[in-house]
Amino acid sequence: MKYLSTRGGMQPQSFSDILLMGLAPDGGLALPESYPQISRSQLDAWRGLSYAELAFEIIRLFATDIPEADLKDIVDRTYTAAVFGSADITPVKRLSDGLVILELSNGPTLAFKDMAMQLLGNLFEYVLAKKGQSLNILGATSGDTGSAAEYAMRGKKGINVFMLSPDGLMSAFQRAQMFSLQDANIHNIAIKGMFDDCQDIVKAVQNDHAFKARYQIGTVNSINWARVVAQVVYYFKGYFNATSSNDEQVSFCVPSGNFGNVCAGHIARQMGLPVQRLIVATNENDVLDEFFRTGVYRPRGTANTYVTSSPSMDISKASNFERFVFDLLGRDGTAVKALWADVDAGKGFDLSAKLADAASKFGFVSGKSNHADRLATIRALDASDGVVVDTHTADGIKVARALRLAGETVVCLETALPAKFADTIREALDRDPPRPAGFDGLEDLPQKVVVFDADAARVKAFVEQTLAG
């Protein structure tokens, strides 16, 4: 399996090479030359596999340059009951109205990002050892990627993490998870601005090819293809857990900000998983909902990005959306390059002529949720099922209920545990959310973070100073 760029300017690369690369040299995102096609007999054989066994079967189709025995060892060490709380790894919860919640937040940082990040940490360590290299990760987080990356990479040999986050805009729990880490290889940088400012800095550094090469800069954001392919696995597992036969179809409803999570669902569907629809759920920052309703992609800019009670989705420029548009346009890298030149110039684009394909060929529909919807959904679910969900998952459930068709099985992807967003849970239920063991007093621990303006040069100087020290 070789990889190309969404902008058409990269020679085919191996999985291990793109794992360390981050953005492609032409500024695009890596994708496989084609998606593996899963036959009915393969699907039948996979239905009874454990999560780790299924992960190996899927990831080996994409990581063909890693010897299978080595890859199996990496996967088996990643997806364990000790790390994810149970042998099921991603159990499902059925609600009284028939909706299914796919639990993805049982890992170390209580968010779905652990599902991919724990694998990424082990893959990085393996590939770096094989190549005799080190890696300095520069990432951006709106809330959960940062802690998942830092917990996966802390203490890893040959890896440093520099994580950007929007200053003051994550929940107190999210900030404490990251900033309380005292490991020597973990460096937190709060940026005065929104998540999009953080992501723009990461991309600016990635596109400074001399700096990137000199300091061996990589990324853990869903810019990184390995993040996305690891997430493909739980769509297959969720399908098997929500159905009794491979004759059935399901739809997935996915809370969406940067489009990485639902992009993995798109890839699973392209591989042949029986997915009826992919339902994109946004919050008040509804750029993606606007696109799937109108065909117009109109990033708002940080000044017009709302601060909401589902902060991990407070994003106006969705990085992974480029991967889907590449497929939507028949894998035309030249066309994608032109569209993203407009995006980088602060403009959007109009693909309304392709809107029918987005729905009929690729299965996408969308809806949005706001703060009042979130509170109402949290209250209703607590009353009807005795289940407390976080704010982002509530967005997904609200949209799923609004758009569900008669007879449609909808699986809602859980984003995080409610303990990470206690203020809004208290507002909805007038009580604290349940807090898993081991997290008491987290917000009271000493915190280590620096605060900078949204300036790529300042961040690069900090990386240089830290690595020189």
Side-chain angles (χ1 to χ4, degrees):
M1 175 71 73
K2 293 293 186 181
Y3 291 83
L4 43 74
S5 166
T6 52
R7 301 187 190 179
M10 182 177 77
Q11 290 299 308
Q13 303 278 332
S14 71
F15 178 85
S16 294
D17 288 337
I18 62 150
L19 175 72
L20 303 181
M21 179 186 295
L23 281 182
D26 62 357
L29 304 182
L31 270 179
E33 290 181 320
S34 62
Y35 298 123
Q37 296 301 295
I38 306 307
S39 67
R40 173 59 187 260
S41 61
Q42 280 178 292
L43 208 59
D44 291 343
W46 288 359
R47 175 169 279 274
L49 298 182
S50 71
Y51 194 93
E53 290 167 338
L54 180 63
F56 169 70
E57 292 295 335
I58 292 171
I59 295 167
R60 74 186 182 98
L61 301 175
F62 295 93
T64 54
D65 60 325
I66 297 179
E68 290 196 349
D70 293 352
L71 181 63
K72 189 171 190 312
D73 174 67
I74 291 166
V75 170
D76 286 347
R77 286 189 287 110
T78 299
Y79 297 111
T80 67
V83 174
F84 288 98
S86 76
D88 290 336
I89 310 296
T90 58
V92 298
K93 185 183 296 165
R94 295 181 185 275
L95 302 180
S96 55
D97 68 350
L99 286 180
V100 178
I101 296 178
L102 178 61
E103 294 184 21
L104 300 173
S105 306
N106 297 318
T109 70
L110 316 184
F112 81 95
K113 302 293 177 72
D114 289 321
M115 296 303 305
M117 209 66 75
Q118 288 291 313
L119 178 71
L120 202 58
N122 289 331
L123 282 170
F124 276 151
E125 195 170 45
Y126 171 84
V127 172
L128 290 170
K130 287 287 185 185
K131 291 177 176 282
Q133 295 178 7
S134 59
L135 187 67
N136 295 303
I137 293 165
L138 181 65
T141 185
S142 56
D144 293 322
T145 291
S147 56
E150 291 178 355
Y151 279 74
M153 307 299 166
R154 60 189 306 199
K156 294 282 188 190
K157 186 177 179 182
I159 299 176
N160 286 291
V161 178
F162 297 87
M163 188 58 62
L164 312 183
S165 60
D167 185 34
L169 298 184
M170 299 185 296
S171 74
F173 190 105
Q174 289 174 314
R175 290 195 300 272
Q177 275 191 305
M178 292 172 55
F179 301 165
S180 65
L181 292 181
Q182 304 296 324
D183 303 73
N185 70 326
I186 303 297
H187 311 280
N188 283 298
I189 305 168
I191 296 295
K192 295 176 184 177
M194 301 294 291
F195 169 78
D196 290 325
D197 295 303
C198 301
Q199 185 160 255
D200 286 346
I201 291 171
V202 170
K203 289 185 174 181
V205 175
Q206 285 277 325
N207 284 319
D208 182 341
H209 301 302
F211 184 90
K212 181 178 175 180
R214 182 179 178 188
Y215 292 103
Q216 296 172 301
I217 302 294
T219 185
V220 290
N221 283 83
S222 45
I223 290 169
N224 191 307
W225 168 253
R227 268 276 306 275
V228 179
V229 75
Q231 292 173 276
V232 169
V233 177
Y234 58 66
Y235 281 89
F236 279 84
K237 192 62 174 174
Y239 169 80
F240 293 138
N241 286 345
T243 60
S244 56
S245 143
N246 293 333
D247 294 323
E248 299 175 53
Q249 279 194 321
V250 305
S251 296
F252 289 96
C253 186
V254 189
S256 300
N258 216 19
F259 207 75
N261 200 359
V262 77
C263 184
H266 160 66
I267 290 157
R269 190 176 189 272
Q270 293 302 108
M271 291 171 67
L273 188 66
V275 175
Q276 183 177 351
R277 299 194 298 166
L278 292 164
I279 304 170
V280 173
T282 74
N283 64 10
E284 294 89 333
N285 297 296
D286 59 352
V287 173
L288 294 170
D289 178 47
E290 181 181 34
F291 176 81
F292 287 110
R293 284 186 296 102
T294 68
V296 176
Y297 183 60
R298 191 168 57 91
R300 309 291 158 77
T302 56
N304 296 305
T305 300
Y306 299 107
V307 177
T308 79
S309 53
S310 49
S312 299
M313 290 152 56
D314 291 348
I315 296 170
S316 161
K317 286 193 287 189
S319 278
N320 272 283
F321 188 56
E322 182 172 339
R323 285 186 168 114
F324 168 67
V325 170
F326 181 70
D327 286 341
L328 182 64
L329 296 181
R331 307 201 125 209
D332 184 342
T334 302
V336 171
K337 182 178 179 180
L339 292 179
W340 257 263
D342 287 341
V343 171
D344 292 340
K347 297 182 285 188
F349 52 76
D350 185 343
L351 293 180
S352 52
K354 291 286 186 178
L355 190 59
D357 282 351
S360 62
K361 185 176 179 182
F362 296 103
F364 277 96
V365 294
S366 69
K368 63 185 280 190
S369 170
N370 60 31
H371 182 68
D373 295 326
R374 239 162 267 140
L375 296 178
T377 300
I378 291 168
R379 288 175 186 136
L381 202 55
D382 179 56
S384 64
D385 291 82
V387 171
V388 181
V389 295
D390 85 288
T391 52
H392 310 75
T393 307
D395 288 332
I397 291 169
K398 182 268 177 183
V399 170
R401 285 175 166 169
L403 298 183
R404 181 168 46 164
L405 304 173
E408 185 180 28
T409 299
V410 180
V411 178
C412 296
L413 270 58
E414 180 186 73
T415 301
L417 294 191
K420 302 190 82 163
F421 307 96
D423 287 350
T424 307
I425 303 302
R426 277 193 292 269
E427 183 182 353
L429 301 179
D430 199 28
R431 68 176 193 268
D432 287 330
R435 181 174 283 224
F439 289 91
D440 290 335
L442 178 69
E443 293 90 337
D444 299 325
L445 295 174
Q447 297 189 4
K448 183 180 71 170
V449 61
V450 296
V451 182
F452 295 152
D453 290 330
D455 179 1
R458 182 69 188 89
V459 171
K460 285 194 283 188
F462 179 76
V463 170
E464 288 181 297
Q465 292 161 9
T466 301
L467 296 178

